[in-house]
Amino acid sequence: MSRFFRAGESDSDESDSDYSDELTHSESEDHSDSDSDNSSSDDDDTAKKTGGRGRLFEGSMSDSDSEDDTVRVVRSAKDKRFEEIEQAVTSMINGQKINDWVSAQNEFDRANKGLQKAAGIIAQSGVPKFYIRAVADLEKSIQAALEKEKSSSKKMNASNAKALNSMKQKVKKNNRLYEKEIQDYEKDPENYVEEEVVEEKPKAKKAKKVVVADSEDDSDVEAADDGFTPVGAGGKSVEFNQENIYKKLKEVADARGKKNTNREDQVRILERLLVVANSPYQKIRVLLALTSAQFDFAIGASGYMSIPLWKNADKYLNSLLTLLEANPDYIIKEDVPEVEETDKDLVPQNGEPVYIQGSLVAFIDRLDDEFTKSLQNIDPHTTDYVDRLKDEVGLYSVIVRSQAYFTRIHLTDSISRTTMRRLEHLYFKPDIVIVAVENATAALLPASVARPHQDSSVLIHDLCVFLYKNATSLLRTRSMLCHIYHHALHNRFFVARDMLLMSHLQETIHQADVTTQILHNRAMVQLGLCAFREGMIKEAQTCLQDISGTGRVKELLAQGLSPQRYGAATPEQEKLERQRQLPFHMHINLELLECVYLTCSMLLEIPNMAQAGSNPDGRKKVISKPFRRMLDYNSRQVFSGPPENTRDHIMGAAKSLSNGEWQKSIELINAIKIWELMPEAMKIKEMLGHKIQEEGLRTYLFANASHYSSVGLDQLAKMFDLPLASVISIVSKMVWNEELSASIDQVSNVVVLHHVEPSKVQSLALAFAEKAAGFVEGNEKLLELKTPQQAERPKKGANANKEQATGKQQQQRTMGPRGGRAGRNQFNNGLGNSVRGGRK
Amino acid sequence: MPSNKELSAALDIEGSVPIHSVQLDAMVVLKIVKHCRESIPATVTGQLMGLDVNGVLEVTHSFPMPKNNQDSEDDASNYQVQMMRCLREVNVDDNSVGWYQSTNMGNFMNQSLIEHQFEFQQALSKSVLIIHDVARSSMGNINLRALRLTPAFMKLYKEKKFTTEALTKAKLTFSNIFEELPITIRNTALLTALLYELETADESIEVSTSHLTTYKSTASAPANKSVLAPSFDVLDLSLDPYVAKNLENLMDTIDDHHQEQGNYAYWQRSVERENKKKAAYLLNRKTENARRTASGQAPLANEDVDAMFKIPAEPSRLDHLLISGQIDNYCKQINEFAGPTLGKLFAVGELQK
């Protein structure tokens, strides 16, 4: 049983693979050449170019590579293959006649294999008819044999029976492929094979003729190939000259995108044409074709254009722009009706400009994209990357140049697109780099086109304002985000924040495309870092919370693939994500980011935890989950060695801060090396030291207030090394915010602490208020869910209303007497609204 | 009572008169209070004996049931039968008219109580449930409630059909699971006489001592004057525990309710899902049929679509109903408490001035 099973299985496998093989073969005819040894290498090129016709031609040529030198039998590939198959088929028929199914099966397999090898040939001339006849007959005789087997008392031997059975299966499957042919055959079994024989001869002749006619055409290409004497096969020399320049251009344009087109040759032809071309019109036409030909080389999303090619494209684009600048009467536009293919040289007349069809902006986009792609693919830690990065100046100058060109011919859409490109090259760079790039560009370009901007902010501002005025909404959004990023980079927190809030970007960013969301996330992160540099810890924390708190920082900022947890991403998704990655030089330092986030979290969370104390409700109010998790993990460790990385330092600092040892905390924070990456690291450290002192004081008061009835302000000031005035201000703030129930006695300079605990009823009432609110919410949700066919439920409604009333009352009471705080917090809520980009 | 038997026979004939009030003998009240208070905090139950006369249910006697009766249901009923027999022998009313239960802070709305009362009302259509709230009684006023299941609820409970539809049809809400009957407390003539005597006794104790020796021994204590003097429990100012207890209970109940909400929402979602599937299927069918008629084929036979998509059964709403009733109870209690309490607080405030 199992053996039978296995046999059946393997056979189906095999025929499956047969099938797929056949498919691939017929798909790529060209490759079948490499299979057959007899196609000489010399002919290879020709065969490729002329496709199918060439093969017959080649078949009729003498086979010089054949190993057997003595017997120089001239056979075409087709004949050779078919002979093999025919042999196999004949012996198969013999086998089936004498009821030897084992050998029949073997021969059948051989025939099929031969058929596969000849797939290229078959695709042209069809399946050999003798094969079809044999296969059709085979099926019949198998059936007959099986019936005989059933009826006869004498059994076949086991292997034979098995072979017969598996043959049945195979043939069935096999014949399905040739259903039509078999039908044809069955209609007229007698004449079927003869037809073919008659057919064969004229076909071959015809093919030959075609080849001869073809050779003329081919010769052009070949001529370009060797690059010496442009002599065709017919002995006719091929010249590139003024007359045929348009014809050649058209040929190239027609050949573009076709399967057998040799791109290198095309480029060579075009290069020659460029030398020949002398009028600006011709030159522009040739350059346009040449640039797009360069881009044709790079196909596929994962690969990137090779650097020399890219440089070529850059060069051609530059010379194209130079040409256009020099000849202002020629204008390249996208929406120009195709000019009649005349061989005439178009010259502007009476000041009427000549319009040429083409899309410069598409070239610019492509050039920029390819640049990004290459940066994505080059290892950023090699010199290659740096070398590649040096090309950016050239790219940037092309962009600036084309922007100037578009401005001259008033193509608003293209201007905004190039302006956006320009902005995207600049927004994340510090001042010095921008100025350097601008100066380099100015040096590269003629003075009429670009003049260097000395102030980067003015430049960015100009670019953005232009986009705000003219561009589509997507570009406006993106430029707004770039602008915000730029402001944040220059420590103008409030300007950046106001732009972010006034644009209401955060409300709609969820609907934006992924790259825009990534840009938004970058701007948010930069804003957070800016707030941190300015010493606004709380703002910094809220800005960073949504990005750093998720644990998917890499993904949200498109700075590397985050490890897949469930293997959920399909290869396509992963590929998409890979395409989205930012080049390395645009990255925001993730370690620094984490360090800033954790430090902010520490400064906020430690007093918060001290305030919550042992109160279980208070403990629920978590500012930063990741921070808490890390702290928990750290405190669970039995032995903790000296801090090694940034995280250890911050955790150590957090612990000593909560113990009131602020000096140690400051020491630990200052020992973090990554601060050096921040501009003005010393100032930041100083700021942090000050903050730690303040938060240390707050933590101390929260933690120990219950043990004191009054504390001397002087003593507090001495303890935390703070001036008395700031101690008073901190304590007053705490009292005002109702974080500390105390009052300041200014006569004796002490903080008098009141010990007021809410009574049981009060705390219960508070808890109840929360519960009731939840209750109402639940009821409302249920009502919303109510499916249409459900009957009214008056009871539910009444119940909800009642509870709602009580809930509201209670809530109003819990709001507290001072409404001032809510207003202040709104900003933070507004800010803390980041977007999860990533896969969708 | 000479014509007890005749009377009951007469009453049985016109048994359709519904009960509109309950009359408790003072002794019954005292017995209930005693039993309930002794066994705090456990919940205890007992039997009520009496007779209904012209719509008034007169409860003349009661006896407590032994505890943990759920272990042996037989024991409890045996005990009841024997107790009844004994009572008959001493010529006390042995006609069961209901039962009583102690409770704490009005916390009595639960399945078992409902079931018990349902069985009672099935067997004896005129039985009643007396709820004695020990905790609330300790606040000053004795707290007794006489409850009966409403006919609408009885009907639904019999059918065990607590779907939203049925509830709406029966107009049943948490507030009309029970109907509450007014309670009057009646003293026998003798007792009234004694009370009168006691009231006047403080002037001339000696007069009455001759025939009330037992009383004399206790009443002769120095604080004897306050035997029937008004209780000042009402003026107790420790108000927090009561509210706190109520709030705690309320929160627990709300948690329960939350769970019910979750169940119901889950059901709603699954119904919606099924409906969507069904609609999609029907639409599919329709387009398919349209296509078939267009191409001249016979439309597909109508299948039983409802059988294909089984809509899950609605969860019983009884629990939810009871929980809502319980929440209502607590809310009412707090409300009832809040009014007098505010008065008290103001009074105290004035006094302290």
Side-chain angles (χ1 to χ4, degrees):
Chain A
M1 182 64 198
S2 68
R3 274 180 71 196
F4 168 73
F5 203 69
R6 202 180 328 133
E9 207 171 65
S10 69
D11 130 41
S12 76
D13 276 353
E14 192 183 47
S15 62
D16 272 357
S17 64
D18 285 355
Y19 188 39
S20 63
D21 273 358
E22 218 153 49
L23 271 184
T24 49
H25 276 285
S26 58
E27 252 168 30
S28 52
E29 277 176 47
D30 303 285
H31 292 280
S32 68
D33 289 43
S34 55
D35 277 7
S36 52
D37 342 341
N38 66 338
S39 70
S40 61
S41 57
D42 289 2
D43 294 346
D44 233 19
D45 260 356
T46 343
K48 255 184 206 158
K49 256 164 252 144
T50 50
R53 285 168 299 187
R55 193 165 292 103
L56 283 180
F57 173 67
E58 153 205 320
S60 62
M61 274 166 51
S62 66
D63 184 356
S64 56
D65 274 5
S66 166
E67 290 150 29
D68 204 357
D69 267 14
T70 47
V71 194
R72 295 184 63 96
V73 184
V74 181
R75 273 187 301 183
S76 79
K78 183 180 167 184
D79 289 350
K80 205 172 157 193
R81 291 271 163 243
F82 280 11
E83 208 162 279
E84 256 175 45
I85 299 169
E86 206 161 0
Q87 261 176 16
V89 167
T90 332
S91 38
M92 178 178 81
I93 293 170
N94 286 339
Q96 96 196 30
K97 268 180 193 152
I98 56 166
N99 241 3
D100 178 5
W101 292 104
V102 181
S103 71
Q105 188 183 9
N106 287 340
E107 292 303 325
F108 179 68
D109 287 349
R110 222 182 87 199
N112 273 345
K113 232 171 252 165
L115 210 61
Q116 262 172 47
K117 273 190 194 159
I121 302 164
I122 286 167
Q124 271 169 10
S125 59
V127 186
K129 306 219 161 170
F130 56 84
Y131 175 78
I132 296 293
R133 185 184 57 184
V135 168
D137 287 346
L138 185 63
E139 197 176 7
K140 272 182 217 152
S141 58
I142 286 174
Q143 264 169 9
L146 276 172
E147 264 162 44
K148 216 164 88 188
E149 162 83 357
K150 251 185 236 162
S151 54
S152 74
S153 53
K154 214 175 85 187
K155 288 278 168 204
M156 257 187 229
N157 69 36
S159 64
N160 214 355
K162 208 180 91 195
L164 178 60
N165 271 328
S166 67
M167 269 294 267
K168 195 183 125 196
Q169 307 279 344
K170 260 189 211 176
V171 168
K172 228 184 204 170
K173 210 168 259 171
N174 192 42
N175 282 10
R176 224 172 280 146
L177 300 177
Y178 307 110
E179 225 162 335
K180 209 181 123 238
E181 285 89 341
I182 291 174
Q183 268 176 8
D184 279 351
Y185 164 69
E186 253 149 39
K187 261 187 233 154
D188 195 4
E190 248 85 301
N191 296 335
Y192 191 72
V193 183
E194 275 80 27
E195 264 172 40
E196 186 193 32
V197 179
V198 180
E199 217 173 88
E200 188 114 22
K201 278 171 188 166
K203 204 173 166 190
K205 255 184 206 163
K206 228 191 269 166
K208 242 180 210 167
K209 261 184 206 160
V210 176
V211 170
V212 172
D214 242 32
S215 65
E216 206 173 40
D217 264 1
D218 291 345
S219 59
D220 296 350
V221 185
E222 268 170 23
D225 208 340
D226 51 34
F228 284 110
T229 31
V231 178
K236 203 170 73 178
S237 69
V238 179
E239 282 175 49
F240 294 104
N241 51 32
Q242 290 289 324
E243 284 78 50
N244 66 1
I245 189 163
Y246 297 110
K247 196 175 134 223
K248 293 289 165 201
L249 255 179
K250 192 163 172 1
E251 271 173 22
V252 172
D254 288 346
R256 195 181 162 200
K258 277 186 190 145
K259 203 157 78 182
N260 294 324
T261 319
N262 186 338
R263 297 199 194 87
E264 281 166 47
D265 288 343
Q266 302 282 355
V267 170
R268 271 188 215 113
I269 294 171
L270 286 169
E271 272 165 355
R272 278 160 175 281
L273 285 175
L274 186 61
V275 177
V276 175
N278 53 10
S279 79
Y281 179 72
Q282 285 173 341
K283 274 189 181 165
I284 290 169
R285 287 283 303 274
V286 174
L287 277 171
L288 277 175
L290 198 51
T291 319
S292 57
Q294 297 290 339
F295 287 130
D296 278 350
F297 274 100
I299 308 177
S302 53
Y304 60 97
M305 204 165 160
S306 71
I307 293 167
L309 272 175
W310 186 88
K311 284 196 170 143
N312 273 342
D314 187 34
K315 191 181 81 197
Y316 292 134
L317 208 50
N318 245 325
S319 48
L320 183 59
L321 283 166
T322 322
L323 209 60
L324 288 169
E325 276 156 17
N327 303 284
D329 285 335
Y330 293 95
I331 288 174
I332 296 180
K333 267 188 157 180
E334 281 159 49
D335 47 1
V336 174
E338 186 95 34
V339 194
E340 277 299 304
E341 282 306 322
T342 48
D343 291 358
K344 263 189 292 169
D345 193 359
L346 290 175
V347 185
Q349 289 162 346
N350 319 332
E352 279 281 302
V354 175
Y355 290 103
I356 302 163
Q357 197 191 28
S359 174
L360 264 185
V361 74
F363 288 151
I364 301 285
D365 281 352
R366 188 70 199 272
L367 198 66
D368 197 7
D369 288 345
E370 289 296 342
F371 181 71
T372 317
K373 238 187 246 172
S374 67
L375 284 178
Q376 280 169 352
N377 281 288
I378 297 172
D379 181 0
H381 304 293
T382 56
T383 46
D384 287 356
Y385 192 83
V386 181
D387 290 344
R388 185 72 181 129
L389 213 49
K390 280 178 189 152
D391 296 336
E392 195 185 6
V393 178
L395 173 63
Y396 182 73
S397 65
V398 171
I399 291 173
V400 173
R401 204 168 187 180
S402 60
Q403 187 197 351
Y405 174 71
F406 290 132
T407 319
R408 185 166 63 76
I409 62 169
H410 306 296
L411 271 177
T412 322
D413 182 47
S414 303
I415 305 171
S416 357
R417 268 162 78 181
T418 39
T419 312
M420 194 64 225
R421 293 265 167 197
R422 191 174 171 189
L423 187 59
E424 277 173 3
H425 276 283
L426 290 181
Y427 76 98
F428 58 94
K429 287 179 177 148
D431 275 349
I432 311 168
V433 180
I434 294 184
V435 171
V437 167
E438 276 291 311
N439 285 335
T441 308
L444 277 177
L445 299 178
S448 61
V449 178
R451 55 185 185 286
H453 287 258
Q454 283 313 322
D455 190 344
S456 63
S457 297
V458 174
L459 173 63
I460 299 275
H461 182 80
D462 288 349
L463 292 177
C464 287
V465 166
F466 176 81
L467 285 171
Y468 297 153
K469 280 183 183 155
N470 298 309
T472 56
S473 74
L474 174 69
L475 290 185
R476 276 208 303 273
T477 309
R478 289 187 69 93
S479 62
M480 177 69 90
L481 287 169
C482 292
H483 208 169
I484 291 168
Y485 190 100
H486 181 78
H487 277 311
L489 199 64
H490 290 79
N491 286 345
R492 290 189 287 268
F493 176 76
F494 291 104
V495 182
R497 183 200 67 181
D498 290 347
M499 281 182 78
L500 189 65
L501 291 180
M502 282 194 299
S503 60
H504 293 279
L505 269 177
Q506 294 178 308
E507 290 148 33
T508 52
I509 196 73
H510 297 269
Q511 293 139 27
D513 60 321
V514 178
T515 46
T516 310
Q517 290 191 7
I518 287 168
L519 188 59
H520 172 257
N521 287 344
R522 277 168 67 79
M524 283 302 294
V525 165
Q526 197 53 246
L527 197 58
L529 290 176
C530 167
F532 180 75
R533 286 192 294 261
E534 295 289 288
M536 290 176 273
I537 300 298
K538 190 154 196 239
E539 284 80 356
Q541 208 272 343
T542 34
C543 286
L544 297 180
Q545 173 75 52
D546 283 332
I547 311 271
S548 292
T550 53
R552 300 194 334 201
V553 190
K554 273 188 181 172
E555 195 187 328
L556 290 179
L557 292 177
Q559 299 192 354
L561 303 176
S562 53
Q564 291 305 324
R565 254 158 294 173
Y566 312 111
T570 58
E572 288 94 63
Q573 278 174 334
E574 210 161 291
K575 207 166 134 196
L576 271 178
E577 206 167 311
R578 231 176 260 286
Q579 280 173 33
R580 257 184 243 135
Q581 295 305 310
L582 292 174
F584 184 72
H585 66 285
M586 293 172 78
H587 283 197
I588 297 169
N589 190 318
L590 292 180
E591 204 186 335
L592 180 63
L593 182 64
E594 194 197 11
C595 176
V596 168
Y597 173 69
L598 287 179
T599 310
C600 290
S601 302
M602 175 189 87
L603 287 173
L604 296 173
E605 190 77 89
I606 294 295
N608 180 38
M609 281 163 76
Q611 186 184 8
S614 55
N615 183 3
D617 291 336
R619 282 209 94 94
K620 276 181 203 152
K621 214 186 108 203
V622 176
I623 293 173
S624 162
K625 269 224 179 84
F627 176 77
R628 285 239 174 150
R629 208 167 42 231
M630 278 177 212
L631 196 62
D632 279 353
Y633 178 75
N634 198 284
S635 54
R636 268 206 305 275
Q637 232 104 53
V638 185
F639 302 111
S640 49
E644 280 170 3
N645 53 22
T646 313
R647 236 180 243 189
D648 289 348
H649 275 99
I650 295 175
M651 290 306 134
K655 269 199 238 165
S656 39
L657 183 61
S658 63
N659 293 336
E661 301 159 358
W662 58 271
Q663 285 103 335
K664 204 177 155 200
S665 179
I666 290 177
E667 256 170 49
L668 279 166
I669 288 289
N670 282 349
I672 296 174
K673 291 200 180 67
I674 204 155
W675 294 131
E676 305 304 329
L677 290 180
M678 288 278 223
E680 298 181 73
M682 278 323 289
K683 229 174 99 188
I684 282 168
K685 279 183 185 171
E686 207 173 290
M687 179 271 291
L688 279 176
H690 193 66
K691 292 275 171 202
I692 288 174
Q693 283 175 337
E694 285 180 9
E695 296 304 329
L697 171 61
R698 275 161 54 81
T699 313
Y700 181 79
L701 278 178
F702 282 135
N704 300 314
S706 55
H707 307 303
Y708 290 103
S709 59
S710 64
V711 194
L713 286 169
D714 289 325
Q715 202 203 338
L716 282 177
K718 220 168 80 193
M719 236 164 123
F720 289 93
D721 197 18
L722 283 165
L724 187 62
S726 65
V727 171
I728 292 178
S729 98
I730 290 168
V731 173
S732 311
K733 223 182 258 170
M734 285 167 77
V735 172
W736 170 253
N737 287 337
E738 292 187 324
E739 291 167 334
L740 191 69
S741 54
S743 47
I744 295 176
D745 184 349
Q746 284 192 325
V747 180
S748 46
N749 241 357
V750 289
V751 191
V752 182
L753 296 156
H754 312 302
H755 297 283
V756 194
E757 295 277 303
S759 72
K760 198 179 175 201
V761 177
Q762 280 167 334
S763 55
L764 272 174
L766 286 177
F768 174 69
E770 241 165 64
K771 279 254 162 79
F775 180 84
V776 173
E777 209 171 285
N779 267 348
E780 270 165 11
K781 235 184 248 166
L782 264 189
L783 269 174
E784 262 170 42
L785 258 179
K786 202 171 71 168
T787 41
Q789 82 277 8
Q790 290 294 307
E792 279 296 313
R793 261 167 292 148
K795 175 184 59 94
K796 264 234 128 74
N799 205 3
N801 284 341
K802 190 169 149 202
E803 285 301 326
Q804 201 168 17
T806 52
K808 260 187 192 156
Q809 263 175 353
Q810 297 275 22
Q811 239 172 5
Q812 269 168 359
R813 251 173 247 148
T814 55
M815 287 281 264
R818 296 182 193 125
R821 264 184 295 161
R824 214 181 97 86
N825 283 341
Q826 256 160 13
F827 158 58
N828 294 323
N829 293 343
L831 263 187
N833 212 350
S834 195
V835 182
R836 319 210 154 162
R839 61 192 97 77
K840 272 198 183 136
Chain B
M1 295 191 185
S3 58
N4 206 348
K5 248 194 168 143
E6 285 168 37
L7 197 57
S8 70
L11 288 168
D12 270 353
I13 289 164
E14 48 173 314
S16 56
V17 178
I19 304 171
H20 54 76
S21 73
V22 177
Q23 192 185 62
L24 294 177
D25 266 20
M27 199 203 36
V28 173
V29 176
L30 288 176
K31 273 172 111 173
I32 293 174
V33 170
K34 182 168 175 283
H35 179 211
C36 294
R37 198 170 281 186
E38 270 170 355
S39 51
I40 269 182
T43 329
V44 289
T45 57
Q47 287 288 325
L48 299 176
M49 307 294 170
L51 203 63
D52 62 309
V53 183
N54 236 352
V56 180
L57 191 72
E58 294 179 356
V59 182
T60 54
H61 204 87
S62 75
F63 64 88
M65 293 291 280
K67 268 187 216 167
N68 59 21
N69 50 359
Q70 67 254 58
D71 293 345
S72 46
E73 199 69 34
D74 291 344
D75 282 4
S77 54
N78 276 345
Y79 175 80
Q80 194 181 341
V81 170
Q82 273 183 358
M83 195 70 191
M84 301 260 252
R85 200 188 305 133
C86 295
L87 285 175
R88 190 161 49 231
E89 274 168 21
V90 293
N91 211 10
V92 185
D93 276 341
D94 67 328
N95 182 26
S96 175
V97 289
W99 59 300
Y100 66 85
Q101 190 184 25
S102 70
T103 179
N104 206 350
M105 309 297 285
N107 170 24
F108 61 86
M109 290 279 220
N110 55 42
Q111 289 262 29
S112 71
L113 178 127
I114 296 281
E115 195 187 337
H116 211 116
Q117 176 62 11
F118 173 76
E119 275 167 18
F120 251 101
Q121 251 171 273
Q122 276 285 79
L124 305 161
S125 64
K126 287 178 182 174
S127 60
V128 79
L129 163 66
I130 302 286
I131 295 283
H132 175 60
D133 196 326
V134 188
R136 292 182 71 193
S137 299
S138 70
M139 295 298 299
N141 294 322
I142 188 162
N143 187 292
L144 285 170
R145 295 174 79 184
L147 299 174
R148 279 170 58 75
L149 292 173
T150 53
F153 185 83
M154 287 289 287
K155 200 172 145 226
L156 278 189
Y157 197 85
K158 206 170 179 177
E159 291 162 3
K160 296 266 177 214
K161 225 174 82 182
F162 284 99
T163 59
T164 312
E165 210 179 329
L167 287 180
T168 333
K169 217 189 248 170
K171 294 207 170 96
L172 194 69
T173 71
F174 62 87
S175 56
N176 55 8
I177 300 172
F178 285 113
E179 54 181 345
E180 192 165 351
L181 304 175
I183 297 181
T184 49
I185 297 180
R186 193 188 72 97
N187 286 342
T188 58
L190 268 175
L191 197 58
T192 321
L194 171 67
L195 286 173
Y196 274 121
E197 199 158 324
L198 284 178
E199 218 165 88
T200 50
D202 42 9
E203 285 122 41
S204 53
I205 295 171
E206 261 63 48
V207 181
S208 54
T209 43
S210 54
H211 50 266
L212 272 175
T213 44
T214 48
Y215 171 65
K216 186 188 161 197
S217 58
T218 48
S220 55
N224 62 346
K225 282 199 179 177
S226 60
V227 167
L228 285 175
S231 138
F232 291 105
D233 282 359
V234 189
L235 295 180
D236 184 15
L237 276 175
S238 62
L239 310 166
D240 281 1
Y242 181 79
V243 180
K245 192 82 197 135
N246 246 326
L247 278 176
E248 268 170 28
N249 287 339
L250 192 51
M251 274 193 261
D252 287 348
T253 332
I254 286 183
D255 283 345
D256 291 346
H257 188 270
H258 190 74
Q259 204 179 339
E260 284 294 308
Q261 268 179 344
N263 286 345
Y264 196 75
Y266 175 77
W267 172 76
Q268 267 186 338
R269 274 197 300 275
S270 56
V271 165
E272 208 167 333
R273 218 169 23 239
E274 281 299 317
N275 276 335
K276 246 181 221 158
K277 264 198 249 164
K278 190 168 149 186
Y281 175 80
L282 283 178
L283 189 74
N284 214 350
R285 228 357 155 45
K286 216 169 154 189
T287 49
E288 172 77 15
N289 270 346
R291 199 183 57 74
R292 285 178 79 103
T293 42
S295 63
Q297 285 167 303
L300 292 169
N302 275 330
E303 291 168 44
D304 190 6
V305 184
D306 289 328
M308 288 171 66
F309 299 97
K310 211 170 151 215
I311 289 183
E314 189 176 355
S316 166
R317 303 293 303 284
L318 180 61
D319 272 333
H320 167 251
L321 209 59
L322 292 179
I323 290 167
S324 303
Q326 192 64 62
I327 291 176
D328 185 46
N329 248 350
Y330 288 134
C331 290
K332 271 187 189 152
Q333 280 177 27
I334 293 177
N335 256 346
E336 275 168 25
F337 183 72
T341 304
L342 275 179
K344 267 190 250 176
L345 287 177
F346 275 114
V348 170
E350 285 301 311
L351 280 174
Q352 279 177 341
K353 265 182 190 170

